[in-house]
Amino acid sequence: MAGYQLKLKRKQQVAEGTLALYFDKPDDFSFKAGQCVRLGLVDPPETDGEGSGRILSLASTPTEPELMVATRIRDSAFKRVLNTLTSGAELTLKGPYGDFTLPADPSRELVFITGGIGITPVRSMLLQAIAENQADTRADENKGRKMTLFYANRRPEDAAFLDELAQACATDPFCTLVATMSQADQSVQHWQGERGYVDEAMLGRHLTDVTKPLYYLDGPPGMVAAMKIMLVDAGVAEDRLRTEEFAGY
């Protein structure tokens, strides 16, 4: 697998406790929306038993000029060092890896169910699919991939890329964003969307046929396992489920 040297261009807080890092894309680097890379620190001042690198999903799309990853800032050696990096800091990149990617069939209806930092590969896939829809509908206004994103967080302040994804879906008649908050009453923002956790009743309010789509489930392992059980119990065939777990580090 190819290795690359990167320099940090900039950082941006994209939600409370969530940091996005941006890099120039190497000329010969390509990837599929939804894939991940191994990002490595160079001569970090501290490290831990897992070493100086971590696997992170690429939140940018293949057509965007920059590479972007986003991560929750936790109290680990890797995250502490990452949080202190300034523009020009050198890192290494290996990859891409993974098959948590869009299906080849452009007619497949997709449902994404994610929470928290699990939004990173979903941002890449959803924005890529919207761009493909827009290209298709220019040729045929009735042609486009139907997509629904269920995005669960505690509060709007915790939801990375929420406004961006809402605006993107608003431009695509085939895209629906269903954001839900489990602790909306603890937010300083007025929340008018769904509340609580993603469950079968919520799916039924927004999907015509729960058993039809291809599902992408990612986020904390407990959430992924619960969603898989819920969907299978609702009659969704297991071969319609794509999963990826995000453990904390």
Side-chain angles (χ1 to χ4, degrees):
M1 190 64 66
Y4 302 87
Q5 299 293 319
L6 300 178
K7 285 189 177 181
L8 178 65
K9 289 185 65 178
R10 56 192 173 93
K11 298 188 300 186
Q12 179 184 357
Q13 182 173 310
V14 291
E16 285 192 13
T18 301
L19 189 68
L21 298 95
Y22 297 82
F23 308 88
D24 281 326
K25 185 189 300 183
D27 292 338
D28 58 344
F29 180 80
S30 62
F31 67 100
K32 295 180 179 180
Q35 286 190 303
C36 57
V37 295
R38 182 173 179 83
L39 196 65
L41 302 169
V42 176
D43 296 325
E46 62 172 323
T47 187
D48 55 30
E50 295 187 48
S52 58
R54 296 293 190 277
I55 297 292
L56 297 173
S57 292
L58 289 167
S60 48
T61 71
T63 56
E64 288 179 304
E66 297 176 313
L67 294 180
M68 185 261 285
V69 299
T71 184
R72 297 285 200 210
I73 296 302
R74 307 295 191 195
D75 189 23
S76 69
F78 179 80
K79 297 293 185 72
R80 285 193 296 269
V81 175
L82 205 65
N83 196 33
T84 63
L85 295 180
T86 57
S87 297
E90 295 186 352
L91 297 96
T92 62
L93 179 146
K94 290 184 178 180
Y97 306 103
D99 56 5
F100 192 68
T101 56
L102 293 168
D105 182 355
S107 67
R108 292 293 300 270
E109 178 182 355
L110 306 181
V111 172
F112 301 95
I113 304 178
T114 190
I117 200 60
I119 195 62
T120 49
V122 174
R123 177 195 182 274
S124 180
M125 286 189 284
L126 190 72
L127 294 185
Q128 180 72 18
I130 288 174
E132 292 172 0
N133 271 357
Q134 291 172 345
D136 289 341
T137 54
R138 281 194 290 270
D140 182 350
E141 64 181 13
N142 296 313
K143 186 179 180 182
R145 187 200 296 274
K146 186 176 181 182
M147 301 169 289
T148 306
L149 167 58
F150 292 88
Y151 185 19
N153 286 275
R154 294 185 179 90
R155 306 168 302 152
E157 295 94 323
D158 303 316
F161 310 118
L162 178 59
D163 290 341
E164 178 188 27
L165 294 172
Q167 292 171 12
C169 272
T171 70
D172 186 338
F174 299 97
C175 181
T176 301
L177 170 62
V178 182
T180 184
M181 305 297 158
S182 61
Q183 297 177 10
D185 56 341
Q186 298 181 24
S187 172
V188 297
Q189 301 180 29
H190 180 59
W191 180 249
Q192 295 182 310
E194 289 274 9
R195 292 172 180 252
Y197 298 99
V198 178
D199 57 16
E200 188 174 348
M202 187 181 295
L203 296 181
R205 289 195 291 274
H206 299 280
L207 301 177
T208 303
D209 183 349
V210 173
T211 65
K212 181 181 176 182
L214 180 65
Y215 287 84
Y216 286 79
L217 316 175
D218 79 322
M223 176 185 177
V224 172
M227 293 299 100
K228 185 173 181 179
I229 291 171
M230 176 192 71
L231 290 168
V232 170
D233 288 347
V236 179
E238 288 200 39
D239 63 3
R240 290 180 177 268
L241 306 180
R242 307 285 184 270
T243 64
E244 188 159 282
E245 298 179 353
F246 280 59
Y249 44 75

